[in-house]
Amino acid sequence: MDANFETVTVKTDVLILGGGMAATGAAVEAAYWAKKKNLKVTLVDKAAMDRSGAVAMGLSAINQYLGLDREKNTIEQYVDYVRRDLMGVTREDLVYNIARHVDGTVHLFEKWGLPIWKDADGNYVNEGRWQIMINGESYKIIVSEAAKNALGSDNIYERVFITEPLVENGKIAGAVGFSTRENKLYVFRAKAVICAMGGAVHVFRPRSTGEGLGRSWYPPFNTGSSAFFTLKAGAEMTCQEVRFIPIRFKDGYGPVGAWFLLFKAKATNAFGENYFVTNGEELKKYAPYGTGKPIPACLRNHLGMIDLFAGKGPIYMHTAEAIQAIAEGESDPKKAKKKLKELESEAWEDFLDMTITQALLWAAQNIEPEKKESEIAPCEPYFIGSHSGASGAWVSGPEDLAPKDYFWGYDHMTTIKGLFAAGDASGASSHKFSSGSHAEGRIVGKAAVKYALENADEVAVADAKIDAAKEAAVRPLKIWEEHQGLSSDPNINPNFIKPRDFMFRLQKIMDEYAGGVSMQFTTNKFLLDRGMELMEMLQEDSEKLAAEDHHELMRAWENIHRMWQAEAHIRTILFREETRWPGYYYRADFTEMDEDNWKCFVNCIYDPEKKEWEMVKREILSIVD
Ligand code: SFD
Ligand code: AMP
């Protein structure tokens, strides 16, 4: 391929990176405020916004909705729920800020056309206390349409992959990227930048290998771009150790929430023992978090893992029992039969709305959920700030809620001036899910416009810096051009490594040294130190990534981004000498939770000038009793 690329320079006021839930929220809100002040807002997505990001396939529930009855569900109760779920480590000001805005966002979704389940009285149907059911196959198209209408098509760049940030003296100045279809390099210059490029998948070796490679719970197209972008800008990062391991229907990765909460299904080990009961004593070790209700997500995993690791698997979700029990609640046999049919179709729709593969797998394996139980299993680890993980950038809280040390001027701005983060990109504010990510996007959309107004001068960037970023962006194509003739197999060459093999190498390091599936999520200082050594060699080889075409160029950069997420993770689990989130990972050399020394945030900062990492502890400051 010809690696001569045309440079397109785009000047804007507010630049939104990503086109997912947080970015579409940011677009709607920023466009509204920008219009009043005659500012320009531009959005860049590596894919087509209608079906990009985690909600590409749709969803079957909105997992954060407080409801209009604030007597029943208070914001303080939501904060307490999240705090306990994350074993005490959460930014309460951020969780509070999102929770107080999220219902308005959900009402917008409905106004834009999202079908939300209603009961006979016209009330939303709850899945659990904070979750509501939707017919969400077209969820992403609906929120994307609203963002497109707000911004106008001239201000949207689809299929442009952002490689790295432009920063000068601790201030954001823009971003560099390339088209995944044409020979075009993009230099975006902006006063405020919103990073919303999702979480990271396939940093760890997945359970699905050759036979189902690419299948994962969280989307394979979330590749650590947010973590890379904020780290490389020099922003302080938080909770990089708090990976998320969801329990999912085995191999198809179908979510379990509807089964546990809506259908009230039970999970047991192969011997029929309910591990929540038989291993229940274990929870006392993790008081006060483990002894409250609901049991934190990591501890739910932990109780199941005790049995799995003891050889008592498979673990089963008893779908048939649950469906029969609800149907039998109807005394009239005719009604009971009708109810059974309804439940059967709801069970299938839950997956058809958001994890189609799971429905296909059920069909392929002759599983009728109303007749037969299904295997569930813990997945490989993911990096996701919006579900029950917490990794992301350390951002400012809102002035009216944030303790002094958590406030530096603009809502949800990182420690780099003018650089904002939302959704998976912002840390320590878990349980925002799709709705809270959109709400957080709206919060940063408004704050970024304010910042752009109050900091109207363009941040100057040295030409050499921009040229270096452009050169790096297309380097894998040049390496391919130079060396491809040396071997007959395009994937094997002494002068380069292809993205696919590079990814396998990264995943092997993470799996075997940083506590992946094959190590039963367990690691220690020696394994982590060795893992870092191997990572350094991988980093050297990242300079030799080769790409045959635009698509492979994207793959090359996705893996560079994953590699940085991996390094931040290894450094942080190494620093925190305790096991606070069993079920997510275990430190074999520090097996207990240590409230005296480690009830704190662990943050990391990469200095892009000195190329050095710093690890710091930050105090947890509570705002809710
Ligand atoms: O059942 C670049 N999620 C659920 N949320 C809910 O509210 N209800 C559910 O039912 C949920 N479940 C669920 C969920 C996700 C998935 C995959 C499944 C099931 C199967 C979680 C939410 O989806 C999630 O919290 C939000 O989507 C997070 O939003 P955000 O904006 O942080 O991430 P995104 O939507 O994935 O968007 C990322 C965007 O960035 C783009 N991008 N663009 C340019 N350059 C780069 N280098 C880029 N890298 C990425 C992407 O294209 C995308 O547009 S359940 O399991 O709990
Ligand atoms: P999931 O399908 O696992 O992503 O879960 C969807 C929602 O239900 C999230 O808010 C979870 O925290 C919650 N959830 C899932 N399983 C349980 C459970 N056993 N107890 C309490 N909450 C749960």
Side-chain angles (χ1 to χ4, degrees):
M1 166 193 244
D2 175 7
N4 290 322
F5 275 55
E6 170 199 350
T7 300
V8 181
T9 302
V10 178
K11 292 202 175 196
T12 188
D13 294 296
V14 175
L15 177 65
I16 302 170
L17 303 178
M21 289 309 293
T24 49
V28 168
E29 195 75 20
Y32 174 84
W33 296 103
K35 199 169 175 189
K36 291 181 188 288
K37 301 290 175 185
N38 219 11
L39 295 189
K40 183 173 164 183
V41 183
T42 304
L43 181 146
V44 187
D45 191 348
K46 78 172 183 186
M49 219 169 37
D50 279 350
R51 288 279 180 195
S52 68
V55 185
M57 259 196 267
L59 293 178
S60 60
I62 284 178
N63 283 344
Q64 191 189 11
Y65 181 72
L66 275 71
L68 298 175
D69 186 353
R70 283 287 153 86
E71 301 274 293
K72 204 168 110 202
N73 284 335
T74 67
I75 298 173
E76 286 76 10
Q77 285 164 340
Y78 196 78
V79 173
D80 180 55
Y81 160 64
V82 178
R83 177 173 57 191
R84 270 188 304 100
D85 197 65
L86 271 298
M87 309 297 280
V89 181
T90 201
R91 278 280 301 276
E92 296 174 21
D93 56 325
L94 301 177
V95 175
Y96 197 111
N97 199 23
I98 296 166
R100 69 178 166 178
H101 287 108
V102 74
D103 286 8
T105 276
V106 174
H107 301 149
L108 279 177
F109 294 158
E110 190 171 30
K111 189 175 127 196
W112 295 333
L114 179 71
I116 303 182
W117 289 20
K118 299 267 177 61
D119 63 16
D121 301 323
N123 299 314
Y124 292 163
V125 174
N126 275 84
E127 179 186 76
R129 180 173 179 187
W130 311 105
Q131 301 86 355
I132 54 172
M133 298 300 294
I134 58 173
N135 293 108
E137 190 280 336
S138 300
Y139 190 1
K140 188 62 208 302
I141 298 176
I142 291 165
V143 293
S144 157
E145 184 182 45
K148 285 179 175 174
N149 288 343
L151 292 177
S153 54
D154 289 353
N155 295 315
I156 299 172
Y157 293 80
E158 292 184 320
R159 300 197 171 89
V160 172
F161 186 95
I162 294 297
T163 53
E164 59 181 303
L166 292 171
V167 181
E168 205 63 63
N169 296 325
K171 274 190 179 176
I172 196 76
V176 171
F178 60 85
S179 162
T180 61
R181 294 283 165 95
E182 305 165 293
N183 277 9
K184 282 184 181 169
L185 269 165
Y186 283 89
V187 178
F188 294 98
R189 302 297 316 279
K191 288 159 196 155
V193 175
I194 297 170
C195 176
M197 293 181 280
V201 176
H202 286 157
V203 173
F204 278 83
R205 179 155 51 201
R207 282 185 178 276
S208 311
T209 51
E211 82 297 343
L213 188 67
R215 184 87 278 270
S216 51
W217 164 67
Y218 216 47
F221 16 92
N222 269 20
T223 59
S225 294
S226 296
F228 175 84
F229 194 90
T230 41
L231 271 167
K232 202 65 197 301
E236 183 165 335
M237 305 292 285
T238 193
C239 297
Q240 293 299 307
E241 74 280 41
V242 195
R243 52 164 86 172
F244 178 42
I245 296 183
I247 296 286
R248 290 291 175 261
F249 281 80
K250 190 164 175 298
D251 299 331
Y253 292 86
V256 297
W259 284 100
F260 276 130
L261 302 180
L262 185 72
F263 298 121
K264 313 258 180 302
K266 286 206 171 53
T268 68
N269 68 21
F271 301 86
E273 293 159 344
N274 181 337
Y275 53 84
F276 287 106
V277 178
T278 49
N279 298 331
E281 276 295 299
E282 183 72 12
L283 295 172
K284 291 188 182 150
K285 284 193 203 162
Y286 302 97
Y289 321 111
T291 45
K293 286 267 179 264
I295 302 169
C298 66
L299 294 178
R300 296 201 296 269
N301 288 4
H302 175 55
L303 299 184
M305 283 177 190
I306 292 172
D307 282 7
L308 271 179
F309 301 163
K312 292 183 175 178
I315 300 278
Y316 289 111
M317 178 74 85
H318 291 277
T319 56
E321 244 177 57
I323 289 184
Q324 300 297 339
I326 302 176
E328 279 159 19
E330 296 282 354
S331 46
D332 175 350
K334 252 193 178 160
K335 279 193 182 156
K337 209 170 161 196
K338 190 166 167 251
K339 187 75 192 166
L340 193 68
K341 279 277 154 223
E342 262 172 41
L343 291 164
E344 205 185 302
S345 75
E346 280 169 12
W348 284 93
E349 193 190 326
D350 184 47
F351 291 145
L352 289 170
D353 270 353
M354 69 175 161
T355 321
I356 299 160
T357 328
Q358 185 66 56
L360 293 175
L361 199 65
W362 266 356
Q365 296 180 347
N366 299 331
I367 292 177
E368 294 171 79
E370 71 283 13
K371 293 191 182 145
K372 192 173 185 264
E373 70 285 348
S374 278
E375 272 184 77
I376 54 173
C379 302
E380 59 279 356
Y382 303 110
F383 296 92
I384 163 169
S386 65
H387 200 293
S388 314
S391 56
W394 181 245
V395 297
S396 171
E399 191 167 11
D400 64 329
L401 290 174
K404 193 169 59 52
D405 287 356
Y406 293 170
F407 175 71
W408 48 94
Y410 296 89
D411 285 12
H412 302 229
M413 185 174 81
T414 70
T415 54
I416 295 299
K417 293 193 177 74
L419 175 58
F420 295 77
D424 287 332
S426 76
S429 52
S430 321
H431 288 263
K432 25 192 178 185
F433 304 98
S434 62
S435 47
S437 295
H438 194 274
E440 192 181 23
R442 291 175 61 207
I443 292 167
V444 298
K446 185 175 179 185
V449 169
K450 184 167 184 274
Y451 180 93
L453 276 173
E454 292 170 2
N455 298 270
D457 295 339
E458 186 179 284
V459 179
V461 186
D463 284 346
K465 216 176 225 179
I466 298 177
D467 289 345
K470 282 165 52 183
E471 192 276 323
V474 290
R475 190 181 304 139
L477 291 173
K478 297 229 166 88
I479 291 179
W480 165 257
E481 270 171 21
E482 257 171 62
H483 302 292
Q484 55 165 314
L486 206 74
S487 73
S488 53
D489 185 331
N491 296 311
I492 298 172
N493 192 301
N495 295 303
F496 61 65
I497 181 165
K498 281 300 206 61
R500 194 178 159 97
D501 290 338
F502 184 90
M503 183 180 77
F504 290 150
R505 222 171 107 189
L506 170 70
Q507 290 176 348
K508 184 171 164 65
I509 298 171
M510 294 307 285
D511 184 53
E512 294 178 354
Y513 297 93
V517 171
S518 77
M519 300 297 283
Q520 299 189 327
F521 313 110
T522 304
T523 185
N524 64 34
K525 176 182 164 19
F526 308 101
L527 283 163
L528 291 165
D529 281 342
R530 176 69 182 137
M532 260 322 289
E533 258 174 36
L534 294 170
M535 280 292 289
E536 278 161 26
M537 291 172 202
L538 186 73
Q539 282 157 5
E540 272 176 34
D541 287 350
S542 69
E543 302 279 320
K544 310 248 174 57
L545 272 160
E548 284 183 46
D549 53 28
H550 291 96
H551 188 73
E552 219 172 29
L553 183 62
M554 177 173 75
R555 291 281 180 258
W557 271 99
E558 287 177 343
N559 286 305
I560 294 173
H561 290 178
R562 287 188 176 106
M563 179 180 75
W564 280 68
Q565 173 64 85
E567 179 169 358
H569 184 56
I570 293 185
R571 286 182 184 276
T572 316
I573 42 176
L574 183 58
F575 187 77
R576 183 185 279 280
E577 296 183 329
E578 65 161 351
T579 297
R580 178 165 292 265
W581 299 274
Y584 288 173
Y585 74 89
Y586 299 88
R587 278 285 303 251
D589 43 354
F590 297 97
T591 54
E592 310 290 315
M593 179 172 82
D594 177 355
E595 285 282 89
D596 291 340
N597 296 302
W598 291 102
K599 193 179 174 199
C600 62
F601 295 104
V602 170
N603 289 3
C604 65
I605 307 151
Y606 175 76
D607 182 332
E609 304 298 329
K610 294 190 195 139
K611 301 193 179 351
E612 283 169 7
W613 291 78
E614 187 192 351
M615 303 301 305
V616 286
K617 281 184 174 185
R618 296 266 181 244
E619 206 183 335
I620 296 173
L621 302 170
S622 192
I623 62 161
V624 167
D625 291 339

